[in-house]
């Protein structure tokens, strides 16, 4: 078998399926961004009017702010927490580890809709677990309407997302920790490094490919936050009071499917894609995590 | 004997091996257990999202099948999925149900463009010709109309009343038959609002009103005859009544004249009812029924009354939401579909049974004289709830549908919240001016968005 | 002072005591702290499930009366029973006869396991190609792939539905599995994982005369088992809990998957939340079992020892 053909063979299934299920729809959406659609049937060409409108649209700005805040919070909170828990868990042995791991991962065993319903109950003023726990620990928050106060909606969403994603990313970090060469770590310790230094100079670099993966995918999925606010803020269709829970994708959904202008929705989609692309490229360049050298 | 295959040797790992085994076994089982579905498509496919509708519709469908010699399928699809499926199916041109039940918001998506492009059958002439229109509550057609043409049959009226804890109200010596206006109602505040156990937190309020969103205001505005949009799709909520209502509302949820609290939905709402956190709750007809199943221990303690009016002799009800039945243009049997639609929605005796099962009042006035509507409801202390709602039905206000409804609702919420902020920090001074200003900003934004729609709506 | 604050205080005290017992060696104290943090995190994460467990067993009449469990004095078969489960199992009518809960579980298992297995195979193949080969267009393709990951899926839904209909896949599991069977996410993951595999090993395999595919299968894949295991879990869960796609594409009652069926109980005009939650509770079991099965994989790591050789 000609060795040069082999890589192409290996990616052939991906290419075939992508052309059908990604490229064609993408072209469709690309074209659509310059149109205005009216429900399922008609469409009219409007040039860059959709983009011009979005530039000045306060709802879009709000969605952009909310989503950026959420993404930043995700990266800054979720990743260190997940890494921390992974490291703590890595040091344990046997039954305890397996059990704790399952517990910490358990939020991911259920679907997004359930998470939304669950946390809507947990944030109920007076009766909800969150309110009661905060009140017991800090003496504040019993009557607070977390999902009804514009300033508290985003923190509530972040906490809900944290509940799910810390355990999730912890699994990846745990798997990566397994793959670190122990002899290197021991060598460093023999050379006199303390645990923190070993972690920083030996362990972490060995994990960098996975860390890079987690970082990029966290950014991407955070920018595409959709199902969670929709389920959590069901009474306002995912937007929250004063659009405080509006994310780029829930805005896309509202504009494209509730109002019926898929053209404007596509325009939003493209802006989101461009944003994520820009941020990810910057991330990857700065950290060099996508480079191939082992 | 060649090398024994050990699971440890499976290159991907042990669990992937088991997953592979699971995949093979389950696929085989699925092929066996899922008998092949009917080879050909039934003549009519109806898609609905409410499980309690489906049971009733199955009965009608079976009778229809016998009478007309065709096959009818009733599919149950989650509401969001149904609207997506319908929209996408219409885009793709195939796999479209012949009839579909959709929620009040969804119709706008389909009627957004030029009338000729609407993928649903225009039913206006049919309901006129066959004399159906005059038997219906006219205001309900507003939910399903666009530019004067009706595109769906209304399923319900959804008049809104007040459910209240009759036992607690009696204890306090309140006579609800004397409550005629909202002013009378609010005057009860000082008697009711109380911190019962002395822990500094008020335990009893007069009424349940949402505090972080404007849908409570919307219901009250509808009661006053103010809808988000008018018949022709223009923004219609920027009115003096709106300013008054929002100001009134703010006084009820904050400050010294506060009489309301938000009890939420679902579990927290039901718990509030049991605990008596609020004495009065706004309730459309269907909610009176869900209370029966969700709070069985409140049996005998609750009653229903009309909403207090804004002016003496004024409208004593409002409306909230609705479901409608559309006939898609892609159906291959339009006449048959129409017959089925009529059978489903306007078949007399069945409507009585449906009311008994769901508590939802149909828009067909002649049905209200059926016994099920007049029956005393033991849960509500023998009160004939159906009769009460039937008496309010003709008064329900119109609620005009447009594709921009969700955006308008968000904008109204903005107005509400900003006004609330002002009220909190500055009280009454300058409040009405702030509300007026915010309403104007909201209206202008919506008009810009609507104006962008290149294909003129009228 | 309430129980929660007392607990935190007691824990803090314990830490201080340990610290002072062996002032030169902070290790026991640190270990104590670490355990405490882990247990606290686990408790915080699991406690919301209390609501789920309580609601699944509460009788419908008291579901809304108590937010969690009824007070101990009120426990009886009238307040806590298996009624929700009974209603879950009673079966739904359909064109082809009654469909029972077990069928939905089987359907979900089938779709999830098939989808996972195929994804592991195809994504790892492509990931390996990107990691260890150089070929024309690789950089471009990689960037493109990364780019497509950033397109919001919601946007592509309508055209994908169009394609699925054209191919005649509607109301079949192909519609659920095919569009997502090779994802940039998976390819990216395996690429990153395989990048760590030393090239010398692959060269050695080639010198030994092994075919490209067997190098991939027998040399490379065993080395990335932990990440394969993580990926399996993620794929399975994604498919197991998927709601939107199946609810739009699947029509026949007997083909429905668990999330679709369960969400039906949350109607607009009146939901049967207890049954929904009982079903959700049961739906946690297969993924949890899978998780336990994968545990060993996380431990095995570089057990083959090939790296050192």
């Amino acid at each position: 078998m000609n060795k040069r053909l082999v890589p192409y063979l290996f990616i052939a299934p991906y290419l075939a399926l992508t052309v059908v299920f990604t490229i064609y729809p993408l072209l469709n959406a690309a074209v659509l961004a310059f149109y205005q659609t009216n429900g399922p049937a008609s469409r009219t060409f409007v040039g860059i009017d959709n983009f011009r409108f979005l530039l000045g649209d306060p709802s879009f700005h709000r969605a952009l702010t909310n989503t950026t805040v959420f993404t930043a919070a995700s990266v800054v909170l979720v990743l260190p927490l997940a890494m921390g828990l992974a490291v703590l868990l890595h040091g344990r042995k046997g039954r305890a580890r397996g059990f704790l791991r399952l517990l910490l991962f358990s939020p991911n065993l259920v679907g997004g809709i359930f998470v939304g319903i669950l946390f809507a109950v947990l944030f109920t003023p007076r009766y909800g677990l969150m309110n009661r726990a905060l009140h017991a620990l800090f003496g504040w928050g019993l009557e607070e309407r977390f999902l009804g106060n514009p300033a508290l909606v985003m923190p509530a969403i972040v906490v809900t997302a944290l509940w799910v994603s810390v355990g999730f990313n912890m699994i990846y970090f745990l798997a990566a920790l397994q793959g670190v060469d122990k002899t290197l770590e021991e060598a460093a310790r023999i050379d006199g490094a303390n645990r923190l230094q070993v972690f920083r100079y030996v362990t972490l670099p060995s994990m960098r490919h996975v860390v890079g993966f987690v970082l990029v995918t966290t950014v991407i999925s955070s920018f595409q936050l959709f199902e969670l606010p929709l389920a959590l803020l069901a009474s306002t269709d995912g937007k929250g009071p004063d659009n405080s829970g509006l994310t780029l994708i829930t805005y896309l959904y509202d504009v494209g499917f509730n109002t019926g202008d898929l053209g404007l929705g596509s325009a939003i989609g493209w802006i989101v894609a461009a944003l994520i692309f820009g941020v990810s490229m910057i991330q990857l360049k700065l950290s060099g995590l996508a480079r191939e050298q082992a | 004997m060649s090398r024994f295959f050990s699971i440890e040797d499976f290159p991907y790992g042990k669990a992937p091996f088991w997953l592979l085994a699971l995949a093979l076994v389950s696929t085989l089982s699925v092929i066996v257990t899922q008998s092949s579905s009917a080879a050909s498509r039934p003549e009519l496919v109806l898609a609905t999202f409410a499980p309690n509708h489906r049971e009733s519709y199955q009965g009608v469908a079976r009778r229809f099948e016998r009478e007309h010699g065709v096959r009818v399928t009733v599919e149950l699809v989650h509401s969001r999925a149904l609207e997506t499926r319908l929209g996408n199916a219409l885009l793709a041109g195939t796999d479209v149900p012949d009839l579909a039940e959709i929620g009040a918001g969804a119709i706008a998506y389909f009627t957004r463009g030029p009338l000729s492009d609407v993928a649903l059958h225009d039913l206006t002439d049919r309901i006129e010709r066959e004399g159906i229109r005059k038997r219906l509550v006219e205001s309900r057609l507003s939910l399903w109309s666009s530019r004067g043409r009706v595109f769906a049959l209304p399923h319900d009226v959804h008049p809104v009343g007040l459910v209240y804890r009759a036992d607690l109200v009696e204890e306090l010596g309140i006579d609800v038959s004397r409550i005629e206006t909202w002013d009378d109602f609010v005057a009860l505040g000082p008697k009711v609002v109380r911190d019962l156990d002395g822990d500094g937190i008020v335990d009893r309020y007069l009424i349940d009103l949402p505090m972080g969103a404007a849908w409570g205001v919307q219901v009250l505005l509808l009661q006053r005859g103010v809808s988000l949009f008018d018949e022709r799709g223009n923004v219609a909520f920027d009115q003096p009544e709106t300013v008054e209502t929002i100001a009134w509302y703010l006084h009820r949820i904050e400050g010294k004249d506060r009489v309301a609290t938000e009890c939420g939905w679902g579990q927290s709402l039901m718990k509030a009812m049991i605990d008596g956190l609020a004495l009065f709750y706004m309730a459309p007809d269907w909610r009176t029924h869900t209370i029966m199943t969700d709070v069985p221990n409140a049996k005998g303690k609750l009653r229903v009354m009309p909403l207090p009016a804004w002016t003496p002799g004024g409208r004593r009800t409002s409306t909230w939401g609705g479901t409608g039945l559309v006939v898609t243009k892609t159906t291959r049997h339009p006449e048959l579909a129409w017959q089925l639609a009529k059978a489903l929605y306007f078949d007399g005796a069945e409507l009585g049974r449906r009311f008994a099962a769901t508590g939802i009042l149909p828009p067909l006035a002649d049905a209200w004289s059926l016994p099920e509507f007049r029956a005393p409801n033991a849960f509500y202390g023998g009160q004939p709830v159906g009769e009460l709602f039937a008496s309010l039905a003709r008064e329900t206000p119109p609620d005009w549908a447009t594709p921009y409804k969700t955006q308008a609702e968000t904008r109204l919420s903005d107005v509400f919240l900003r006004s609330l902020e002002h009220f909190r920090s500055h009280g009454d001074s300058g409040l009405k001016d702030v509300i007026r200003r915010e309403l104007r900003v909201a209206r202008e934004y919506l008009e810009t968005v609507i104006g962008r729609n290149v294909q003129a709506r009228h | 002072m309430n129980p929660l604050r007392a607990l935190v205080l007691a824990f803090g005290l314990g830490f201080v005591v340990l610290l002072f017992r062996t002032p030169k060696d902070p290790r026991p104290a640190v270990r104590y702290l670490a355990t405490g943090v882990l247990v606290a995190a686990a408790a915080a994460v699991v406690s919301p499930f209390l609501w789920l467990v309580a609601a699944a067993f509460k009788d419908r009449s008291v579901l809304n009366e108590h937010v969690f469990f009824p007070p101990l004095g009120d426990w009886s078969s009238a307040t806590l029973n298996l009624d929700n489960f009974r209603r879950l199992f009673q079966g739904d009518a359909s064109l082809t006869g009654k469909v029972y809960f077990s069928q939905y579980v089987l359907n979900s298992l089938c779709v999830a396991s098939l989808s996972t297995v195929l994804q592991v195979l195809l994504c790892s193949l492509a990931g390996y190609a990107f990691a260890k080969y150089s070929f024309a267009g690789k950089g471009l393709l990689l960037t493109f792939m990364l780019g497509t990951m950033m397109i919001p899926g919601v946007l592509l839904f309508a055209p994908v539905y169009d394609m699925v209909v054209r191919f005649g896949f509607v109301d079949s599991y192909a519609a659920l599995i095919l569009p997502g069977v090779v994802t940039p996410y998976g390819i990216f993951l395996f690429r990153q994982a395989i990048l760590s595999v030393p090239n010398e090993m692959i060269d050695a395999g080639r010198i030994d005369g092994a075919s490209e595919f067997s190098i991939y299968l027998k040399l490379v894949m065993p080395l990335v088992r932990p990440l394969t295991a993580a990926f399996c879990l993620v794929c399975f869960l994604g498919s197991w809990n998927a709601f939107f796609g199946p609810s739009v594409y699947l029509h026949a009652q007997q083909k429905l998957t668990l999330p679709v069926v369960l969400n039906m109980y949350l109607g607009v005009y009146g939901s049967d939340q207890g049954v929904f939650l009982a079903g959700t509770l049961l739906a946690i079991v297969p993924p949890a079992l899978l998780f336990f099965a994968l545990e060993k994989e996380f431990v095995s790591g570089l057990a083959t020892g090939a790296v050192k050789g």
Side-chain angles (χ1 to χ4, degrees):
Chain A
M1 155 143 337
N2 188 346
K3 198 187 122 176
R4 300 184 55 106
L5 278 181
V6 165
Y8 293 108
L9 237 83
F10 284 175
I11 50 179
Y14 166 68
L15 287 176
L17 284 162
T18 299
V19 167
V20 174
F21 290 114
T22 309
I23 296 191
Y24 168 74
L26 260 182
L27 289 174
N28 210 293
V31 169
L32 217 51
F34 299 102
Y35 281 76
Q36 205 181 69
T37 67
N38 286 295
S42 40
R43 58 171 76 171
T44 358
F45 184 73
V46 290
I48 59 167
D49 191 54
N50 284 334
F51 295 97
R52 205 181 308 146
F53 170 73
L54 286 172
L55 225 58
D57 180 19
S59 292
F60 181 71
H61 295 160
R62 191 64 204 260
L64 189 57
T65 320
N66 289 342
T67 316
T68 312
V69 165
F70 177 78
T71 307
S74 284
V75 170
V76 165
L77 289 176
V78 172
L79 297 195
L81 276 173
M83 180 64 89
L85 284 174
V87 167
L88 284 178
L89 213 46
H90 184 61
R92 280 159 217 245
K93 304 274 171 273
R95 280 281 150 82
R97 170 150 86 174
F99 188 61
L100 278 172
R101 197 165 45 212
L102 176 62
L103 288 185
L104 288 168
F105 184 74
S106 55
N108 290 284
L109 297 175
V110 289
I113 295 188
F114 171 74
V115 175
I117 295 176
L118 178 63
F119 271 78
V121 169
L122 294 182
F123 280 123
T124 309
R126 220 182 259 252
Y127 304 122
L129 195 57
M130 277 291 171
N131 297 57
R132 284 202 244 174
L134 282 171
H135 186 75
L137 279 175
F138 306 113
W140 164 83
L142 192 64
E143 286 267 320
E144 203 62 56
R145 327 203 97 78
F146 285 97
L147 300 179
N149 182 339
L152 294 175
V153 168
M154 217 8 117
I157 296 180
V158 170
V159 168
T160 312
L162 262 177
W163 187 69
V164 176
S165 31
V166 169
F168 181 82
N169 289 306
M170 181 193 80
I171 293 296
Y172 277 119
F173 287 146
L174 258 178
L177 275 169
Q178 293 292 348
V180 170
D181 191 351
K182 297 209 175 32
T183 55
L184 283 177
E185 287 181 324
E186 298 212 354
R189 212 163 304 162
I190 289 173
D191 279 351
N194 67 33
R195 290 186 70 175
L196 212 60
Q197 290 171 319
V198 171
F199 183 73
R200 187 158 160 232
Y201 294 109
V202 179
T203 319
L204 209 50
S206 311
M207 289 172 62
R208 76 178 181 293
H209 292 129
V210 176
V211 172
F213 173 79
V214 168
L215 197 58
V216 172
T217 52
T218 301
V219 166
I220 292 178
S221 61
S222 299
F223 261 102
Q224 299 189 15
L225 185 66
F226 172 63
E227 208 181 37
L228 192 62
L230 213 61
L232 197 57
L233 301 164
S235 55
T236 45
D237 241 352
K239 296 183 219 157
D242 201 13
N243 272 348
S244 50
L246 189 70
T247 66
L248 288 168
I249 306 302
T250 49
Y251 187 51
L252 191 165
Y253 186 79
D254 189 39
V255 160
F257 293 93
N258 285 340
T259 315
D261 191 353
L262 283 173
L264 189 58
S266 300
I268 297 176
W270 278 106
I271 297 183
V272 172
L275 271 171
I276 300 178
F277 191 75
V279 172
S280 303
M281 283 298 114
I282 295 175
Q283 247 184 342
L284 288 175
K285 281 268 143 51
L286 278 182
S287 49
L289 290 169
R291 262 184 293 129
E292 298 209 356
Q293 290 81 355
Chain B
M1 174 93 145
S2 54
R3 203 161 26 111
F4 203 84
F5 175 77
S6 147
I7 296 176
E8 292 295 326
D9 284 347
F10 192 65
Y12 296 98
K14 199 144 76 137
F17 172 78
W18 287 114
L19 274 174
L20 180 61
L22 179 62
L24 292 170
V25 168
S26 56
T27 310
L28 276 160
S29 312
V30 160
I31 293 175
V32 165
T33 56
Q34 283 185 7
S35 47
S36 53
S37 33
S40 60
R41 198 180 180 277
E43 275 76 8
L44 289 178
V45 175
L46 159 70
T48 177
F49 58 83
N52 46 9
H53 291 185
R54 191 226 218 154
E55 278 175 42
S56 170
Y57 295 169
Q58 296 274 32
V60 175
R62 298 290 85 79
R63 279 199 299 279
F64 191 84
E65 282 181 331
R66 282 195 299 272
E67 280 171 37
H68 292 84
V70 294
R71 273 179 311 126
V72 178
T73 306
V74 181
E75 282 184 350
L76 188 61
V77 189
H78 190 271
S79 57
R80 196 166 279 149
L82 195 154
E83 284 154 22
T84 309
R85 196 194 287 185
L86 197 57
N88 289 331
L90 286 168
L91 267 170
T94 53
D95 184 41
V96 187
D98 305 273
L99 299 108
E101 273 198 322
I102 56 179
I107 189 78
Y109 174 77
F110 301 103
T111 56
R112 192 184 135 94
L115 278 172
S116 51
D117 279 349
V118 176
L120 309 169
H121 273 290
D122 181 341
L123 304 171
T124 328
D125 297 330
R126 284 184 195 266
I127 56 175
E128 292 256 9
R129 253 197 332 251
E130 302 189 26
I132 295 177
R133 188 163 187 153
K134 57 183 188 317
R135 293 159 64 198
L136 293 174
V137 175
E138 178 72 23
S139 67
R140 294 315 281 167
L141 295 173
S142 64
L143 273 172
W144 310 105
S145 307
S146 178
R147 288 155 285 189
R149 313 299 298 175
V150 177
F151 287 100
L153 291 179
H155 170 263
D156 41 50
V157 182
H158 289 335
V160 176
L162 280 181
V163 161
Y164 62 97
R165 282 290 298 269
D167 54 338
L168 296 176
V169 159
E170 241 179 73
E171 255 176 48
L172 289 166
I174 297 173
D175 181 3
V176 296
S177 60
R178 288 172 167 271
I179 304 175
E180 280 191 25
T181 65
W182 282 109
D183 287 335
D184 297 338
F185 184 79
V186 171
L188 297 170
K191 230 196 225 181
V192 173
V193 180
R194 204 126 293 177
D195 169 12
L196 293 170
D197 52 8
D199 62 351
I201 304 178
V202 176
D203 305 293
R204 196 173 62 201
Y205 288 92
L206 185 57
I207 183 170
D208 166 29
L209 288 179
M211 295 162 74
W215 66 264
V217 175
Q218 268 176 273
V219 174
L220 295 173
L221 281 175
L222 281 170
Q223 184 188 9
R224 298 185 82 156
V226 177
S227 175
L228 286 174
F229 296 91
D230 69 14
E231 235 171 323
R232 285 191 312 279
N234 299 322
V235 179
F237 60 77
D238 188 4
Q239 310 279 356
E241 284 97 337
T242 315
V243 179
E244 303 253 335
T245 314
I246 294 183
W248 177 92
Y249 197 99
L250 290 174
H251 280 273
R252 303 287 83 79
I253 61 175
E254 285 246 340
K256 59 177 174 56
D257 294 325
R258 176 179 179 183
V259 296
T261 188
E262 179 166 10
C263 298
W265 303 86
Q267 200 177 39
S268 86
L269 173 64
M270 300 308 168
K271 183 150 172 56
M273 267 189 206
I274 295 172
D275 290 349
L277 182 59
L279 295 184
F280 291 82
Y281 301 83
M282 289 203 285
D285 51 358
W286 53 267
R287 184 179 272 182
T288 58
H289 201 81
T290 43
I291 292 174
M292 283 165 53
T293 32
D294 286 350
V295 195
N297 294 342
K299 181 169 180 176
K301 297 187 188 162
L302 300 167
R303 300 279 184 283
V304 190
M305 64 174 274
L307 291 179
W310 286 96
T311 54
R315 192 186 269 131
R316 293 201 67 170
T317 185
S318 183
T319 182
W320 193 245
T323 303
L325 187 66
V326 297
V327 179
T328 55
K329 272 190 183 156
T330 49
T331 177
R332 273 166 296 169
H333 312 274
E335 274 313 312
L336 220 54
W338 170 246
Q339 297 299 329
L340 180 59
K342 281 191 298 178
L344 285 168
Y345 272 23
F346 304 135
D347 175 358
E350 185 62 33
L351 289 176
R353 278 195 289 275
R354 220 173 271 169
F355 176 76
T358 62
I360 297 177
L361 195 77
L364 197 68
D366 7 305
W368 304 336
S369 44
L370 287 169
E372 286 92 343
F373 294 90
R374 299 167 175 280
N377 188 321
F379 187 87
Y380 290 97
Q383 197 182 3
V385 176
E387 243 177 36
L388 174 69
F389 282 121
S391 70
L392 294 173
R394 288 234 185 250
E395 280 180 49
T396 50
D399 186 9
W400 300 99
T402 81
Y404 305 96
K405 196 149 191 240
T406 48
Q407 294 200 43
E409 283 169 353
T410 314
R411 289 280 89 81
L412 190 63
S413 273
D414 287 352
V415 173
F416 178 76
L417 282 164
R418 305 238 171 85
S419 311
L420 179 61
E421 262 172 50
H422 180 93
F423 184 63
R424 274 198 187 130
S425 40
H426 301 91
D428 225 352
S429 83
L431 180 64
K432 292 208 172 153
D433 290 321
V434 168
I435 302 178
R436 245 173 247 128
R437 184 190 69 216
E438 293 296 334
L439 278 175
R440 186 177 44 86
V441 167
R443 175 175 51 86
E444 281 167 5
Y445 175 78
L446 279 169
E447 284 173 350
T448 316
V449 172
I450 296 176
R452 290 189 70 238
N453 188 340
V454 175
Q455 292 167 327
R457 299 196 80 245
H458 19 274
Chain C
M1 187 53 59
N2 55 53
L4 204 55
R5 280 195 195 156
L7 196 65
V8 175
L9 221 63
F11 179 76
L13 230 68
F15 177 68
V16 170
V17 163
L18 269 179
L19 207 56
F20 276 111
R21 274 238 302 229
T22 55
K24 291 260 164 65
D25 181 16
R27 267 184 306 168
V30 169
R31 199 176 169 75
Y32 172 82
L33 192 63
T35 315
V37 167
L38 276 174
V39 170
V45 161
V46 164
S47 45
F49 282 113
L50 260 187
W51 178 74
L52 170 64
V53 173
F57 290 102
K58 274 193 284 195
D59 189 76
R60 194 168 189 180
S61 59
V62 295
L63 177 65
N64 293 312
E65 214 172 302
H66 314 281
V67 178
F68 294 94
F69 285 100
L72 272 165
D74 282 349
W75 285 37
S76 72
S77 62
T79 52
L80 290 175
N81 52 44
L82 296 175
D83 216 20
N84 289 325
F85 294 95
R86 203 172 318 132
R87 270 179 297 158
L88 192 62
F89 294 147
Q90 74 187 10
D92 306 302
S94 87
L95 284 176
T96 46
K98 257 200 163 186
V99 185
Y100 290 98
F101 189 70
S102 49
Q103 178 73 49
Y104 306 127
V105 174
L106 182 63
N107 294 343
S108 278
L109 280 175
C110 174
V111 175
S113 55
L114 257 183
S115 174
T116 306
V117 162
L118 286 172
Q119 282 194 60
V120 168
L121 175 66
L122 296 177
C123 289
S124 60
L125 265 175
Y128 173 60
F130 276 111
K132 292 299 176 191
Y133 288 90
S134 60
F135 52 92
K138 173 157 95 154
L140 209 64
L141 207 53
L142 199 58
T143 316
F144 170 79
M145 202 179 73
L146 220 60
T148 57
M149 241 166 102
M150 304 170 190
I151 309 286
V154 184
L155 194 58
L156 302 180
F157 196 78
V160 170
Y161 186 89
D162 186 23
M163 297 256 83
V164 167
V165 168
R166 270 180 226 266
F167 290 143
F169 289 152
V170 170
D171 202 20
S172 79
Y173 294 148
L176 303 180
I177 300 179
L178 269 183
V181 80
V182 186
T183 59
Y185 180 85
I187 300 180
F188 194 26
L189 174 75
F190 280 108
R191 172 190 182 259
Q192 300 298 95
I194 295 173
L195 275 176
S196 314
V197 172
N199 294 336
E200 300 81 51
M201 216 189 56
I202 298 176
D203 295 333
R206 287 205 185 112
I207 291 171
D208 281 350
S211 76
E212 297 298 310
F213 184 75
S214 81
I215 291 178
Y216 150 82
L217 190 65
K218 302 219 174 98
L219 288 180
V220 177
M221 287 320 292
L223 292 176
V224 294
R225 277 189 197 178
L227 279 165
T228 307
F231 183 67
C232 273
L233 191 60
V234 169
C235 288
F236 188 87
L237 278 172
S239 182
W240 182 260
N241 287 321
F243 165 67
F244 199 62
S247 57
V248 174
Y249 287 117
L250 296 177
H251 294 196
Q253 186 75 27
Q254 57 184 346
K255 292 190 186 163
L256 297 181
T257 57
L258 268 180
V260 179
V261 170
L262 289 179
N263 272 285
M264 281 308 190
Y265 288 104
L266 299 175
V268 176
Y269 285 128
S271 18
D272 204 345
Q273 230 184 22
V275 181
F276 167 75
L277 293 170
T280 306
L281 190 61
L282 289 180
I284 294 182
V285 173
L289 286 177
L290 176 67
F291 188 89
F292 273 123
L294 288 171
E295 221 198 300
K296 309 283 165 54
E297 302 298 316
F298 292 147
V299 177
S300 69
L302 298 174
T304 58
V307 170
K308 302 198 185 99

